[in-house]
Amino acid sequence: MDANKKAVRDGIKAFRDTVILDEVDKTAAFLCERLIANAVLNRQNAPGAHDFTGNLLNSIVTGYYLDGELRAFFRAESAGVRPSRYYKMRASHGTYFFKYDYRGRKSYYKPTIETDGGKGVEDAEMFIMTYTPRIRNGFEIVVAYTTEYATWVENERRTTGFMNTLAWAKKACRVNFIPINA
C-alpha cells in the first residue's frame, strides 16, 4: 500500500513539475510581457506626461515569481523603449535645461525629489533582484515603477499610467490585485 501511495505521489509531482509548471511559466511570462507593454503604452499616452530623461519610463519592470523565486522579468526596453538619454535629475542640482530632452524637445525642469542620479533601468534591475515576494507557495506577478519620484508623479500629476495598467491587469487576469508599496 505504501509503495502505491509513493508511486501516486511521485506521478503527481512529476506531472506538476513537467506539465503544470511549464504552462504556468508560459502563461505568467506572457502576462508579464503584455503587462510591461501595457504599462509603457499607458505612460507614453498619459495626458500631460512629459519625459525629460526617459528614466521613469525605463524604470518600469514586471516580474514573475513562483514559490518565492524569480522566474522571469521584463524591462521597458523589451517593449521597444529606447534607453534613457540622461541620468536622473537631482533636486540639489537646481534647474536643468535641455537642448533636446528624451522626446527631442527643448525644455527645462527644476526637480523637487532628490534621486541617486543613476538611470531608471538600474532601479528596475535592482528592484526585481531584491524584491521579496509575499507569496511563498504559489505565483506572484509584480509591476513596478521604480524611480524615486514615480509615486510623486502618480499622486501629483496622474501621468505614470499606473491606474490604467492596474485596470488592464484586473480585466486581463480576472483577479483582484492588491497594490503594495515595497
Side-chain angles (χ1 to χ4, degrees):
M1 186 72 161
D2 287 335
N4 288 343
K5 284 183 183 179
K6 184 178 178 337
V8 168
R9 266 196 305 264
D10 290 348
I12 290 171
K13 184 180 181 330
F15 180 74
R16 175 189 182 268
D17 292 346
T18 57
V19 177
I20 295 174
L21 288 184
D22 185 52
E23 285 303 311
V24 168
D25 279 346
K26 286 178 190 174
T27 303
F30 174 76
L31 284 172
C32 282
E33 282 183 301
R34 298 305 315 137
L35 192 56
I36 194 76
N38 188 274
V40 164
L41 190 64
N42 285 331
R43 168 61 183 160
Q44 290 173 325
N45 295 330
H50 188 97
D51 284 316
F52 292 99
T53 63
N55 284 302
L56 177 57
L57 190 58
N58 277 278
S59 78
I60 303 171
V61 64
T62 61
Y64 154 56
Y65 299 82
L66 181 66
D67 298 336
E69 299 292 324
L70 179 64
R71 301 287 282 211
F73 72 95
F74 298 90
R75 296 185 312 232
E77 76 181 24
S78 67
V81 171
R82 69 183 190 277
S84 304
R85 274 184 98 145
Y86 305 102
Y87 289 97
K88 290 183 285 183
M89 294 182 275
R90 301 183 78 136
S92 57
H93 177 276
T95 303
Y96 287 78
F97 295 91
F98 297 95
K99 185 175 180 179
Y100 300 105
D101 65 11
Y102 185 73
R103 290 189 174 177
R105 300 179 193 162
K106 183 178 180 178
S107 61
Y108 68 94
Y109 185 68
K110 183 177 182 187
T112 57
I113 306 290
E114 191 60 49
T115 72
D116 63 7
K119 291 210 170 184
V121 69
E122 296 164 356
D123 294 336
E125 289 174 359
M126 177 70 78
F127 173 85
I128 210 69
M129 296 303 173
T130 59
Y131 175 73
T132 302
R134 287 173 167 72
I135 297 174
R136 294 296 188 183
N137 189 14
F139 73 92
E140 184 172 331
I141 294 176
V142 176
V143 61
Y145 296 66
T146 60
T147 60
E148 295 90 343
Y149 48 86
T151 300
W152 182 87
V153 171
E154 180 58 29
N155 290 340
E156 296 296 318
R157 296 187 178 163
R158 306 268 189 262
T159 61
T160 62
F162 177 72
M163 296 311 290
N164 288 337
T165 300
L166 186 62
W168 178 88
K170 286 179 179 180
K171 284 189 340 192
C173 299
R174 293 191 178 124
V175 296
N176 285 322
F177 285 80
I178 303 170
I180 55 171
N181 290 329

